[in-house]
């Protein structure tokens, strides 16, 4: 099983339309094409849609070490509006990895590379193995 196959089991993110593009140790990238169902009453991308995109990227990066990881705390800062027709990308980078915890930074950008939001999260790693294999790095 690949990380992409495993994270399709995240029904909420999958039904939202989020696609996991890439996963490496401590890194991941996901995308979301903004459609009418992702918009708030002001015709801008709903903050929850952006948070869900960032959260899936976090989960993929944090679980890339082979053990199940869960978010302890997450903070998001919205810096620019997004709207219909945009494609948003979330890139998660590992900032720290300890024995049982980790810290991650996720940048959310649009199709032009403009920063839309920043997301920071800390995770706790369980001793349970994830059911997917990472490709060997070349």
């Amino acid at each position: 099983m690949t990380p992409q196959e495993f994270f399709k089991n995240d029904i909420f993110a999958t039904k939202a339309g989020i696609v996991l593009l890439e996963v490496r140790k401590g890194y991941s990238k996901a995308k979301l094409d903004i459609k009418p169902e992702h918009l708030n009453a002001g015709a801008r991308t709903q903050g929850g849609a952006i948070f869900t995109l960032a959260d899936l990227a976090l989960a993929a990066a944090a679980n890339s070490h082979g053990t199940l990881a869960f978010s302890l705390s997450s903070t998001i800062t919205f810096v620019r509006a997004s709207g219909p027709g945009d494609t948003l990308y979330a890139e998660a980078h590992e900032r720290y990895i300890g024995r049982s915890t980790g810290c991650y930074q996720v940048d959310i950008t649009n199709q032009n590379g403009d920063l839309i939001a920043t997301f920071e999260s800390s995770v706790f790693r369980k001793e349970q193995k994830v059911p997917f294999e990472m490709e060997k790095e070349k």
Side-chain angles (χ1 to χ4, degrees):
M1 175 180 288
T2 67
Q4 285 84 350
E5 291 167 333
F6 175 73
F7 283 105
K8 282 188 179 172
N9 292 319
D10 186 323
I11 307 288
F12 189 81
T14 298
K15 286 198 180 270
I18 297 169
V19 177
L20 187 56
L21 300 173
E22 183 180 354
V23 182
R24 299 188 310 259
K25 294 251 180 181
Y27 170 85
S28 75
K29 184 174 184 178
K31 81 168 190 158
L32 175 62
D33 293 322
I34 303 304
K35 297 180 177 157
E37 59 265 28
H38 299 118
L39 303 180
N40 62 23
R44 301 293 185 268
T45 305
Q46 166 61 251
I50 297 170
F51 189 100
T52 301
L53 173 63
D55 191 56
L56 184 74
L58 159 73
N63 283 281
S64 66
H65 294 284
T67 56
L68 202 55
F70 294 97
S71 178
L72 291 170
S73 174
S74 297
T75 303
I76 193 165
T77 302
F78 302 101
V79 297
R80 182 176 280 114
S82 165
D86 280 347
T87 298
L88 300 185
Y89 297 92
E91 281 191 89
H93 296 272
E94 192 168 74
R95 308 291 292 172
Y96 166 81
I97 182 170
R99 191 179 75 252
S100 62
T101 61
C103 292
Y104 294 81
Q105 171 75 41
V106 183
D107 288 335
I108 300 90
T109 57
N110 65 14
Q111 67 279 1
N112 301 320
D114 299 323
L115 186 65
I116 301 299
T118 61
F119 178 97
E120 293 180 342
S121 188
S122 59
V123 301
F124 176 77
R125 285 184 169 61
K126 308 269 292 175
E127 292 183 16
Q128 183 180 345
K129 296 288 182 198
V130 295
F132 62 81
E133 296 283 324
M134 294 296 300
E135 287 185 22
K136 302 282 188 238
E137 292 188 24
K138 298 173 186 170

